[in-house]
Amino acid sequence: SQTIHQWPATLVQPVGSPLSLECTVEGTSNPNLYWYRQAAGRGLQLLFYSVGIGQISSEVPQNLSASRPQDRQFILSSKKLLLSDSGFYLCAWSPTENEKLFFGSGTQLSVL
Amino acid sequence: GQNIDQPTEMTATEGAIVQINCTYQTSGFNGLFWYQQHAGEAPTFLSYNVLDGLEEKGRFSSFLSRSKGYSYLLLKELQMKDSASYLCAAMDSNYQLIWGAGTKLIIKP
């Protein structure tokens, strides 16, 4: 069966520090991969999605970036965190673009 | 523009029935999803509707009217564990999901 792993679960980082969140999927090949951010009281905001290795689409211009170095690995990064980067980050995958999403357990990021 | 509306919060009693409404406006339409999200956890898939009508799955049912841009999630025989946020998401013609802000459902004994 397919599983998705996302870590860490919580992270507290100072403003200006770098960020690296990792997500891996097991039990499937060539998944569509997504990074979302969820702010309190707001809908899920799509940050990046990828349909294959090295293929990244950015939905929102910001100081975050994403990479897909391997088929089932998706990484969210930042060189310098801002206070506004605080939030709940979710990685997700789907078999194809028009199917349901399966979410990782999420990372609660607090930038202080 | 593309938009999803759903109530911010609802309260219901254990054992009762509750209906959570969702209206959407999207550029094209490729289906409507409902997810459940407990506090601090990831959303989990509940239902998917692409054709008009009612889809029943145990205690949960989901309805879609494409002509009205409207969906609802119906929860029967409410249990305390149903206390969660319920997220409505519509898929547009580019297969992008447009998400509502979620409805927080509070279940009282």
Side-chain angles (χ1 to χ4, degrees), chain A residues 17-41:
Chain A
S17 63
L19 172 74
S20 181
L21 301 181
E22 190 163 343
C23 173
T24 59
V25 180
E26 295 178 356
T28 187
S29 59
N30 198 32
N32 286 359
L33 296 172
Y34 307 82
W35 277 111
Y36 280 92
R37 178 168 60 203
Q38 186 175 35

PDB file of all heavy atoms in Angstrom, chain A residues 17-41:
ATOM      1  N   SER A  17      16.569  32.376   9.170  1.00  0.00           N
ATOM      2  CA  SER A  17      17.233  31.071   9.120  1.00  0.00           C
ATOM      3  C   SER A  17      16.725  30.284   7.903  1.00  0.00           C
ATOM      4  O   SER A  17      15.669  30.584   7.350  1.00  0.00           O
ATOM      5  CB  SER A  17      16.964  30.284  10.403  1.00  0.00           C
ATOM      6  OG  SER A  17      15.582  30.000  10.539  1.00  0.00           O
ATOM      7  N   PRO A  18      17.475  29.255   7.485  1.00  0.00           N
ATOM      8  CA  PRO A  18      17.032  28.448   6.345  1.00  0.00           C
ATOM      9  C   PRO A  18      15.998  27.399   6.756  1.00  0.00           C
ATOM     10  O   PRO A  18      15.803  27.127   7.936  1.00  0.00           O
ATOM     11  CB  PRO A  18      18.329  27.774   5.875  1.00  0.00           C
ATOM     12  CG  PRO A  18      19.153  27.681   7.117  1.00  0.00           C
ATOM     13  CD  PRO A  18      18.817  28.874   7.940  1.00  0.00           C
ATOM     14  N   LEU A  19      15.355  26.820   5.749  1.00  0.00           N
ATOM     15  CA  LEU A  19      14.319  25.813   6.005  1.00  0.00           C
ATOM     16  C   LEU A  19      14.477  24.663   5.024  1.00  0.00           C
ATOM     17  O   LEU A  19      14.780  24.869   3.843  1.00  0.00           O
ATOM     18  CB  LEU A  19      12.931  26.422   5.815  1.00  0.00           C
ATOM     19  CG  LEU A  19      11.745  25.450   5.859  1.00  0.00           C
ATOM     20  CD1 LEU A  19      11.490  25.013   7.296  1.00  0.00           C
ATOM     21  CD2 LEU A  19      10.493  26.085   5.264  1.00  0.00           C
ATOM     22  N   SER A  20      14.243  23.468   5.514  1.00  0.00           N
ATOM     23  CA  SER A  20      14.175  22.302   4.631  1.00  0.00           C
ATOM     24  C   SER A  20      13.170  21.319   5.208  1.00  0.00           C
ATOM     25  O   SER A  20      13.356  20.791   6.295  1.00  0.00           O
ATOM     26  CB  SER A  20      15.540  21.628   4.492  1.00  0.00           C
ATOM     27  OG  SER A  20      15.452  20.508   3.623  1.00  0.00           O
ATOM     28  N   LEU A  21      12.075  21.129   4.484  1.00  0.00           N
ATOM     29  CA  LEU A  21      11.064  20.144   4.859  1.00  0.00           C
ATOM     30  C   LEU A  21      11.080  19.051   3.806  1.00  0.00           C
ATOM     31  O   LEU A  21      11.111  19.339   2.612  1.00  0.00           O
ATOM     32  CB  LEU A  21       9.678  20.773   4.924  1.00  0.00           C
ATOM     33  CG  LEU A  21       9.483  21.936   5.882  1.00  0.00           C
ATOM     34  CD1 LEU A  21       8.030  22.425   5.823  1.00  0.00           C
ATOM     35  CD2 LEU A  21       9.849  21.552   7.301  1.00  0.00           C
ATOM     36  N   GLU A  22      11.020  17.813   4.271  1.00  0.00           N
ATOM     37  CA  GLU A  22      11.120  16.698   3.338  1.00  0.00           C
ATOM     38  C   GLU A  22       9.874  15.825   3.361  1.00  0.00           C
ATOM     39  O   GLU A  22       9.236  15.645   4.403  1.00  0.00           O
ATOM     40  CB  GLU A  22      12.349  15.861   3.649  1.00  0.00           C
ATOM     41  CG  GLU A  22      12.671  14.816   2.603  1.00  0.00           C
ATOM     42  CD  GLU A  22      14.090  14.286   2.709  1.00  0.00           C
ATOM     43  OE1 GLU A  22      14.928  14.935   3.369  1.00  0.00           O
ATOM     44  OE2 GLU A  22      14.335  13.213   2.133  1.00  0.00           O
ATOM     45  N   CYS A  23       9.565  15.297   2.219  1.00  0.00           N
ATOM     46  CA  CYS A  23       8.393  14.452   2.043  1.00  0.00           C
ATOM     47  C   CYS A  23       8.766  13.298   1.115  1.00  0.00           C
ATOM     48  O   CYS A  23       9.396  13.520   0.078  1.00  0.00           O
ATOM     49  CB  CYS A  23       7.272  15.294   1.434  1.00  0.00           C
ATOM     50  SG  CYS A  23       5.798  14.395   0.951  1.00  0.00           S
ATOM     51  N   THR A  24       8.400  12.091   1.511  1.00  0.00           N
ATOM     52  CA  THR A  24       8.648  10.945   0.641  1.00  0.00           C
ATOM     53  C   THR A  24       7.395  10.086   0.548  1.00  0.00           C
ATOM     54  O   THR A  24       6.615   9.998   1.492  1.00  0.00           O
ATOM     55  CB  THR A  24       9.819  10.074   1.142  1.00  0.00           C
ATOM     56  OG1 THR A  24       9.512   9.608   2.459  1.00  0.00           O
ATOM     57  CG2 THR A  24      11.109  10.849   1.169  1.00  0.00           C
ATOM     58  N   VAL A  25       7.214   9.479  -0.605  1.00  0.00           N
ATOM     59  CA  VAL A  25       6.075   8.612  -0.854  1.00  0.00           C
ATOM     60  C   VAL A  25       6.589   7.212  -1.130  1.00  0.00           C
ATOM     61  O   VAL A  25       7.591   7.044  -1.834  1.00  0.00           O
ATOM     62  CB  VAL A  25       5.252   9.132  -2.049  1.00  0.00           C
ATOM     63  CG1 VAL A  25       4.052   8.223  -2.305  1.00  0.00           C
ATOM     64  CG2 VAL A  25       4.789  10.552  -1.794  1.00  0.00           C
ATOM     65  N   GLU A  26       5.912   6.229  -0.593  1.00  0.00           N
ATOM     66  CA  GLU A  26       6.285   4.838  -0.817  1.00  0.00           C
ATOM     67  C   GLU A  26       5.123   4.081  -1.444  1.00  0.00           C
ATOM     68  O   GLU A  26       3.961   4.415  -1.233  1.00  0.00           O
ATOM     69  CB  GLU A  26       6.665   4.178   0.521  1.00  0.00           C
ATOM     70  CG  GLU A  26       7.898   4.764   1.180  1.00  0.00           C
ATOM     71  CD  GLU A  26       8.210   4.111   2.513  1.00  0.00           C
ATOM     72  OE1 GLU A  26       7.417   3.243   2.954  1.00  0.00           O
ATOM     73  OE2 GLU A  26       9.230   4.459   3.129  1.00  0.00           O
ATOM     74  N   GLY A  27       5.452   3.068  -2.225  1.00  0.00           N
ATOM     75  CA  GLY A  27       4.428   2.179  -2.749  1.00  0.00           C
ATOM     76  C   GLY A  27       3.788   2.610  -4.040  1.00  0.00           C
ATOM     77  O   GLY A  27       2.785   2.028  -4.457  1.00  0.00           O
ATOM     78  N   THR A  28       4.345   3.611  -4.691  1.00  0.00           N
ATOM     79  CA  THR A  28       3.808   4.054  -5.978  1.00  0.00           C
ATOM     80  C   THR A  28       4.953   4.663  -6.775  1.00  0.00           C
ATOM     81  O   THR A  28       6.015   4.973  -6.228  1.00  0.00           O
ATOM     82  CB  THR A  28       2.681   5.076  -5.785  1.00  0.00           C
ATOM     83  OG1 THR A  28       2.085   5.365  -7.056  1.00  0.00           O
ATOM     84  CG2 THR A  28       3.201   6.376  -5.194  1.00  0.00           C
ATOM     85  N   SER A  29       4.733   4.817  -8.061  1.00  0.00           N
ATOM     86  CA  SER A  29       5.767   5.435  -8.885  1.00  0.00           C
ATOM     87  C   SER A  29       5.172   6.598  -9.673  1.00  0.00           C
ATOM     88  O   SER A  29       3.983   6.601  -9.994  1.00  0.00           O
ATOM     89  CB  SER A  29       6.376   4.406  -9.848  1.00  0.00           C
ATOM     90  OG  SER A  29       5.385   3.867 -10.689  1.00  0.00           O
ATOM     91  N   ASN A  30       6.027   7.577  -9.953  1.00  0.00           N
ATOM     92  CA  ASN A  30       5.652   8.778 -10.693  1.00  0.00           C
ATOM     93  C   ASN A  30       4.394   9.457 -10.146  1.00  0.00           C
ATOM     94  O   ASN A  30       3.465   9.783 -10.907  1.00  0.00           O
ATOM     95  CB  ASN A  30       5.457   8.456 -12.178  1.00  0.00           C
ATOM     96  CG  ASN A  30       5.491   9.711 -13.028  1.00  0.00           C
ATOM     97  OD1 ASN A  30       6.176  10.673 -12.710  1.00  0.00           O
ATOM     98  ND2 ASN A  30       4.713   9.726 -14.099  1.00  0.00           N
ATOM     99  N   PRO A  31       4.334   9.681  -8.839  1.00  0.00           N
ATOM    100  CA  PRO A  31       3.156  10.373  -8.299  1.00  0.00           C
ATOM    101  C   PRO A  31       3.203  11.855  -8.615  1.00  0.00           C
ATOM    102  O   PRO A  31       4.274  12.422  -8.840  1.00  0.00           O
ATOM    103  CB  PRO A  31       3.294  10.137  -6.795  1.00  0.00           C
ATOM    104  CG  PRO A  31       4.772  10.090  -6.573  1.00  0.00           C
ATOM    105  CD  PRO A  31       5.332   9.402  -7.791  1.00  0.00           C
ATOM    106  N   ASN A  32       2.044  12.502  -8.624  1.00  0.00           N
ATOM    107  CA  ASN A  32       1.998  13.963  -8.590  1.00  0.00           C
ATOM    108  C   ASN A  32       2.234  14.354  -7.133  1.00  0.00           C
ATOM    109  O   ASN A  32       1.630  13.773  -6.225  1.00  0.00           O
ATOM    110  CB  ASN A  32       0.640  14.474  -9.056  1.00  0.00           C
ATOM    111  CG  ASN A  32       0.463  14.351 -10.553  1.00  0.00           C
ATOM    112  OD1 ASN A  32       1.350  13.897 -11.267  1.00  0.00           O
ATOM    113  ND2 ASN A  32      -0.702  14.750 -11.027  1.00  0.00           N
ATOM    114  N   LEU A  33       3.090  15.344  -6.919  1.00  0.00           N
ATOM    115  CA  LEU A  33       3.428  15.755  -5.554  1.00  0.00           C
ATOM    116  C   LEU A  33       3.100  17.222  -5.347  1.00  0.00           C
ATOM    117  O   LEU A  33       3.225  18.029  -6.273  1.00  0.00           O
ATOM    118  CB  LEU A  33       4.917  15.508  -5.281  1.00  0.00           C
ATOM    119  CG  LEU A  33       5.358  14.049  -5.311  1.00  0.00           C
ATOM    120  CD1 LEU A  33       6.875  13.943  -5.226  1.00  0.00           C
ATOM    121  CD2 LEU A  33       4.710  13.269  -4.172  1.00  0.00           C
ATOM    122  N   TYR A  34       2.683  17.552  -4.137  1.00  0.00           N
ATOM    123  CA  TYR A  34       2.202  18.898  -3.831  1.00  0.00           C
ATOM    124  C   TYR A  34       2.732  19.369  -2.478  1.00  0.00           C
ATOM    125  O   TYR A  34       2.873  18.579  -1.544  1.00  0.00           O
ATOM    126  CB  TYR A  34       0.664  18.927  -3.762  1.00  0.00           C
ATOM    127  CG  TYR A  34      -0.043  18.354  -4.963  1.00  0.00           C
ATOM    128  CD1 TYR A  34      -0.225  16.981  -5.092  1.00  0.00           C
ATOM    129  CD2 TYR A  34      -0.543  19.188  -5.967  1.00  0.00           C
ATOM    130  CE1 TYR A  34      -0.875  16.439  -6.194  1.00  0.00           C
ATOM    131  CE2 TYR A  34      -1.196  18.656  -7.063  1.00  0.00           C
ATOM    132  CZ  TYR A  34      -1.358  17.284  -7.178  1.00  0.00           C
ATOM    133  OH  TYR A  34      -1.999  16.760  -8.274  1.00  0.00           O
ATOM    134  N   TRP A  35       2.974  20.689  -2.387  1.00  0.00           N
ATOM    135  CA  TRP A  35       3.190  21.343  -1.092  1.00  0.00           C
ATOM    136  C   TRP A  35       2.083  22.383  -0.910  1.00  0.00           C
ATOM    137  O   TRP A  35       1.869  23.227  -1.787  1.00  0.00           O
ATOM    138  CB  TRP A  35       4.540  22.050  -1.030  1.00  0.00           C
ATOM    139  CG  TRP A  35       5.686  21.145  -0.682  1.00  0.00           C
ATOM    140  CD1 TRP A  35       6.718  20.757  -1.493  1.00  0.00           C
ATOM    141  CD2 TRP A  35       5.947  20.545   0.585  1.00  0.00           C
ATOM    142  NE1 TRP A  35       7.583  19.936  -0.829  1.00  0.00           N
ATOM    143  CE2 TRP A  35       7.135  19.782   0.463  1.00  0.00           C
ATOM    144  CE3 TRP A  35       5.295  20.550   1.822  1.00  0.00           C
ATOM    145  CZ2 TRP A  35       7.678  19.067   1.516  1.00  0.00           C
ATOM    146  CZ3 TRP A  35       5.832  19.830   2.866  1.00  0.00           C
ATOM    147  CH2 TRP A  35       7.019  19.094   2.708  1.00  0.00           C
ATOM    148  N   TYR A  36       1.403  22.289   0.232  1.00  0.00           N
ATOM    149  CA  TYR A  36       0.374  23.245   0.585  1.00  0.00           C
ATOM    150  C   TYR A  36       0.768  23.933   1.899  1.00  0.00           C
ATOM    151  O   TYR A  36       1.475  23.378   2.730  1.00  0.00           O
ATOM    152  CB  TYR A  36      -0.977  22.541   0.836  1.00  0.00           C
ATOM    153  CG  TYR A  36      -1.762  22.176  -0.383  1.00  0.00           C
ATOM    154  CD1 TYR A  36      -1.620  20.912  -0.974  1.00  0.00           C
ATOM    155  CD2 TYR A  36      -2.680  23.061  -0.943  1.00  0.00           C
ATOM    156  CE1 TYR A  36      -2.368  20.555  -2.084  1.00  0.00           C
ATOM    157  CE2 TYR A  36      -3.436  22.712  -2.047  1.00  0.00           C
ATOM    158  CZ  TYR A  36      -3.263  21.455  -2.607  1.00  0.00           C
ATOM    159  OH  TYR A  36      -4.016  21.108  -3.707  1.00  0.00           O
ATOM    160  N   ARG A  37       0.219  25.134   2.094  1.00  0.00           N
ATOM    161  CA  ARG A  37       0.307  25.810   3.392  1.00  0.00           C
ATOM    162  C   ARG A  37      -1.111  26.128   3.843  1.00  0.00           C
ATOM    163  O   ARG A  37      -1.957  26.545   3.040  1.00  0.00           O
ATOM    164  CB  ARG A  37       1.123  27.096   3.310  1.00  0.00           C
ATOM    165  CG  ARG A  37       1.205  27.861   4.632  1.00  0.00           C
ATOM    166  CD  ARG A  37       2.255  28.954   4.584  1.00  0.00           C
ATOM    167  NE  ARG A  37       1.970  29.921   3.552  1.00  0.00           N
ATOM    168  CZ  ARG A  37       2.914  30.705   3.006  1.00  0.00           C
ATOM    169  NH1 ARG A  37       4.168  30.621   3.405  1.00  0.00           N
ATOM    170  NH2 ARG A  37       2.571  31.570   2.081  1.00  0.00           N
ATOM    171  N   GLN A  38      -1.330  25.923   5.129  1.00  0.00           N
ATOM    172  CA  GLN A  38      -2.648  26.205   5.694  1.00  0.00           C
ATOM    173  C   GLN A  38      -2.484  27.208   6.840  1.00  0.00           C
ATOM    174  O   GLN A  38      -1.876  26.900   7.865  1.00  0.00           O
ATOM    175  CB  GLN A  38      -3.285  24.910   6.218  1.00  0.00           C
ATOM    176  CG  GLN A  38      -4.707  25.081   6.691  1.00  0.00           C
ATOM    177  CD  GLN A  38      -5.320  23.741   7.094  1.00  0.00           C
ATOM    178  OE1 GLN A  38      -4.647  22.868   7.629  1.00  0.00           O
ATOM    179  NE2 GLN A  38      -6.600  23.565   6.825  1.00  0.00           N
ATOM    180  N   ALA A  39      -3.055  28.390   6.646  1.00  0.00           N
ATOM    181  CA  ALA A  39      -3.057  29.390   7.705  1.00  0.00           C
ATOM    182  C   ALA A  39      -4.367  29.253   8.474  1.00  0.00           C
ATOM    183  O   ALA A  39      -5.377  28.802   7.924  1.00  0.00           O
ATOM    184  CB  ALA A  39      -2.923  30.786   7.107  1.00  0.00           C
ATOM    185  N   ALA A  40      -4.334  29.630   9.721  1.00  0.00           N
ATOM    186  CA  ALA A  40      -5.509  29.491  10.587  1.00  0.00           C
ATOM    187  C   ALA A  40      -6.712  30.193   9.959  1.00  0.00           C
ATOM    188  O   ALA A  40      -6.627  31.351   9.574  1.00  0.00           O
ATOM    189  CB  ALA A  40      -5.213  30.058  11.966  1.00  0.00           C
ATOM    190  N   GLY A  41      -7.829  29.460   9.846  1.00  0.00           N
ATOM    191  CA  GLY A  41      -9.053  30.055   9.339  1.00  0.00           C
ATOM    192  C   GLY A  41      -9.076  30.305   7.847  1.00  0.00           C
ATOM    193  O   GLY A  41      -9.989  30.988   7.345  1.00  0.00           O
TER     194      GLY A  41
END
